[in-house]
Structures are given as C-alpha cells and as structure tokens.
C-alpha cells in the first residue's frame, strides 16, 4: 500500500464518528426493545417458554427433602393482603401439613373487593419490571379496600442461575418471611427485586439472601435460620408443581411468570392489569 492509498486523517476521523454513531443507534434500539418488552406484553410469552422447560426439571431442583409442609399464612399457596384506611395487613392462616393440600380460593375477599393474585418468581426479570410499573398502583387499591392482593411465590428459573438453585432458594426465603414476619413481606420483596442478580450468574448465596431479608425489615432469628436451612424447600417444589399443573394458569406456551389473575380471570396482557381491576370493581 502506498501513502496515497492510506485513509487521510479526516477520513479516519469521519470513520470513527460513523462507528460511534452506529453504536449509539444500536444502544437506542436495545433500550426501545427492552421498553417494548414490558409495555407490549410480550415478556410473559417469552418467559413462558422457559416455564415449559421448568415443568420437566422442577421435580429434581429440590430433591432429597423429607418434608413438604407449608408455611403459615399461605394456606392458598399465596400470602394475601387486605387494606383499609391506608393500611395494608397480611391475612393469617394455619400452615398446610405435609400431607395436606393448599386451598383453591383466597381466604378472604368475599366483601366485594376485587381479588388480584400474582404468581411470581423472585428471580424473574419480567416480574421485576411488572412490579416496578404496577406495584404502587395495585397497593393503592389495596389500601383503599378496593382490592385484595395475593402473592404466590413459585420457582421456575433455577436453570438461569448456573446450577445454584437461586430461584428456589429465593422462593424459600419468601415463604420464611410469610411464616414468621408476614408484615415485612412486601418490603422484603422490594429488596429482592431491587437487588435481583443477573441471569447467567450464580445468583446470591444464602448469606446474601439473609442480608436482603434483613434489609427489608425481617430481622428475626427464626427467619434467618429458615433461610439458611431452607426449611420450606419441599414446599417450594410442591406448590410450584401445583401451579404448573393448573391449566387455568397456562398461556399459549405454558405457564410463565409473572402470571396475573383478576377475579379468577388470567390476564393475557400484563399491561391490562389496571384496566381489568377497574372493570371488575364496577
């Protein structure tokens, strides 16, 4: 190559600017795709594909557990919240025995309030996005007494966390809090979504999970021991399998998280949640 064939300084500068512009445009497209992922309601379908795989593996994720008794305050498989005068209160219930089954319907809500049930995996990125977009609006409805909210933890995303069973351990932590300090559950859930580890990593250790639980206000030694020992390991498997086998909760590609049910009707589009609540309240 001769000197005349080499790009000039101006040409090199122009090329660098063009590369930078293309990278900036690619980043804008990526951000638009992420925004559409939630707002377009397509996240549920994508995660549901993973759930189909989870149906095959969920029975071995928590193998070796000798007891599958459930936590207190989750007789339906969910922890339920009611509200009045701006206050949100968890509904108490007895634990389900290892030989028992969870109830088919919420324990309260017959007073005309709209029943909203959320099926969530604390390791699920779309669950985090959904909570960020709608949690405050739904809780405002709970506080006014218009809505009762039930949160049903499940574990379908262990495969996304490098063999660490992070999703199952996070679900166990949810149940520990529901059992011992149910009034701290929503604050702890916020911590888990705020500090959610990226998929493809090993997630968080049990000690790190304990730290998040404490940051959410659940500081009792019972909760700490429950997290460390995975006291509800068997129930995580049991209740998740119940959900996966419930065809009323399955979409076109199977069950995925988050799944939202309003007065017994599963929503196909996550962005319809507030409209569905308003319609059901009429």
């Amino acid at each position: 190559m001769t000197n005349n064939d080499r790009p000039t300084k101006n040409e090199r500068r122009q090329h660098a600017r063009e590369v930078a512009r293309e990278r900036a445009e690619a980043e804008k497209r990526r951000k638009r795709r992420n925004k559409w992922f939630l707002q377009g309601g397509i996240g549920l379908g994508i995660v549901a594909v993973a759930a189909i795989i989870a149906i095959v593996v969920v029975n071995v994720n928590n193998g070796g557990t000798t007891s599958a008794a459930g936590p207190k305050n989750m007789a339906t498989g969910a922890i339920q919240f009611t509200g009045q005068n701006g206050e949100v209160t968890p509904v108490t219930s007895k634990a389900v025995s290892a030989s028992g089954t969870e109830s088919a319907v919420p324990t309260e809500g017959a007073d005309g309030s709209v029943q909203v049930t959320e099926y969530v995996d604390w390791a699920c990125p779309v669950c985090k996005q959904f909570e960020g977009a709608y949690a405050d609006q739904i809780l405002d409805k709970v506080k006014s007494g218009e809505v009762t909210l039930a949160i049903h933890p499940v574990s379908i995303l262990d495969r996304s966390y490098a063999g660490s069973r992070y999703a199952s351990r996070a679900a166990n932590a949810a149940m520990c809090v529901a059992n011992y300090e149910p009034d701290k559950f929503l604050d702890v859930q916020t911590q888990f979504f705020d500090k959610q580890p990226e998929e493809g990593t090993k997630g968080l250790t049990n000690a790190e999970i304990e730290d998040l639980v404490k940051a959410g206000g659940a500081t009792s030694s019972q909760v700490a021991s429950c997290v460390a020992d995975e006291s509800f390991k068997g129930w995580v498997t049991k209740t998740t399998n119940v959900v996966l086998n419930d065809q009323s909760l399955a979409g076109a590609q199977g069950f995925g998280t988050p799944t939202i049910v309003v007065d017994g009707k599963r929503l196909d589009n996550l962005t319809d949640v507030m409209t569905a609540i308003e319609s059901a309240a009429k």
Side-chain angles (χ1 to χ4, degrees), residues 166 169 192 195 197 202-215 227:
Y166 172 68
R169 291 184 293 109
F192 268 77
K195 304 298 193 307
K202 289 188 176 181
L204 305 178
T205 65
N206 281 351
E208 289 170 329
I209 288 175
E210 286 181 41
D211 288 340
L212 288 188
V213 168
K214 289 177 181 177
V227 171

Side-chain angles (χ1 to χ4, degrees), residues 24-221:
E25 287 297 320
E27 178 64 13
K28 288 180 181 178
R29 289 193 296 271
R30 184 188 69 80
K31 290 181 178 179
R32 283 197 296 268
R33 285 196 302 270
N34 288 347
K35 183 178 181 180
W36 174 246
F37 183 68
L38 177 62
Q39 293 182 343
I42 64 174
L44 182 58
I46 293 173
V47 177
V49 175
I52 295 172
I53 300 173
I55 294 173
V56 179
V57 302
V58 70
N59 286 316
V60 299
N61 283 339
N62 300 306
T65 303
T66 58
S67 175
K72 291 186 293 184
N73 310 317
M74 297 186 71
T76 66
I79 179 170
Q80 190 180 12
F81 297 91
T82 61
Q84 188 175 11
N85 300 323
E87 298 292 331
V88 176
T89 305
V91 176
T92 59
S93 63
K94 294 181 179 179
V96 179
S97 67
S99 60
T101 56
E102 57 194 49
S103 303
V105 295
T107 52
E108 290 194 10
D111 58 353
S113 57
V114 179
Q115 297 177 3
V116 177
T117 303
E118 301 178 5
Y119 294 82
V120 301
D121 186 325
W122 280 4
C124 161
V126 185
C127 297
K128 175 179 178 177
Q129 293 175 8
F130 178 84
E131 288 299 304
Y134 299 109
D136 288 344
Q137 297 177 64
I138 294 172
L139 281 179
D140 283 343
K141 296 290 187 181
V142 176
K143 291 174 182 178
S144 69
E146 297 174 73
V147 164
T148 61
L149 172 64
I151 299 178
H152 194 308
V154 295
S155 169
I156 63 174
L157 292 177
D158 276 347
R159 70 181 190 88
S160 297
Y161 286 89
S164 73
R165 296 178 51 257
Y166 172 68
S168 290
R169 291 184 293 109
N172 173 76
M175 296 170 190
C176 293
V177 177
N179 185 81
Y180 292 108
E181 297 191 64
D183 58 319
K184 303 298 183 183
F185 186 94
L186 295 173
D187 290 334
V188 171
Q189 174 165 268
T190 297
Q191 288 292 322
F192 268 77
F193 284 136
D194 284 350
K195 304 298 193 307
Q196 188 182 78
E198 291 185 7
E199 292 180 297
T201 69
K202 289 188 176 181
L204 305 178
T205 65
N206 281 351
E208 289 170 329
I209 288 175
E210 286 181 41
D211 288 340
L212 288 188
V213 168
K214 289 177 181 177
T219 58
S220 71
S221 59

Side-chain angles (χ1 to χ4, degrees), residues 209-236:
I209 288 175
E210 286 181 41
D211 288 340
L212 288 188
V213 168
K214 289 177 181 177
T219 58
S220 71
S221 59
Q222 293 99 321
V223 171
S225 296
C226 180
V227 171
D229 298 339
E230 286 190 67
S231 298
F232 296 112
K233 183 179 180 182
W235 183 258
V236 170

